[in-house]
Amino acid sequence: VVVFPADLTVAVAERFTLGVLVDGPLGVDTDVTWQSGDNFIATVNSISGQVQGQRVGRTLITATAVGDPGKKGFCLVEVVPAP
C-alpha cells in the first residue's frame, strides 16, 4: 500500500484528499480503510481518505488494505495554524 503524498502539511480546517495505490493479485479487494493516529490533530474520512486539520500538531494517517489487513501505507500529516 502506497499513500501519496507521504508527507502532508495542511492548515487548521483545511481539507485534502489523499491518494493510494494497492498492489494485489487479480480478484483481491484493493480498497482501503483510513484511520488517523490522533483525531484531535487531523481527522480522515475512513472511506474517501479526505483529511481535515483540527489542531496544530502532527499525526500519522494509516491506509489499511481491506483484502489484506497486514498491508498498510502511511502519511505523516502536519497541521499548521490557519492563515
Side-chain angles (χ1 to χ4, degrees):
V1 176
V2 177
V3 175
F4 54 92
D7 296 293
L8 175 67
T9 300
V10 294
V12 172
E14 182 181 4
R15 296 172 191 241
F16 184 90
T17 301
L18 296 170
V20 65
L21 294 173
V22 179
D23 187 25
L26 189 61
V28 172
D29 190 347
T30 56
D31 290 336
V32 298
T33 57
W34 298 90
Q35 185 173 17
S36 174
D38 188 337
N39 285 316
F40 289 108
I41 295 175
T43 57
V44 63
N45 181 292
S46 64
I47 297 168
S48 71
Q50 184 181 68
V51 174
Q52 182 172 9
Q54 301 295 319
R55 182 184 299 177
V56 173
R58 290 182 179 177
T59 190
L60 194 64
I61 303 293
T62 304
T64 303
V66 172
D68 183 354
K71 293 184 178 180
K72 300 177 186 295
F74 305 95
C75 174
L76 179 60
V77 175
E78 181 175 9
V79 180
V80 297

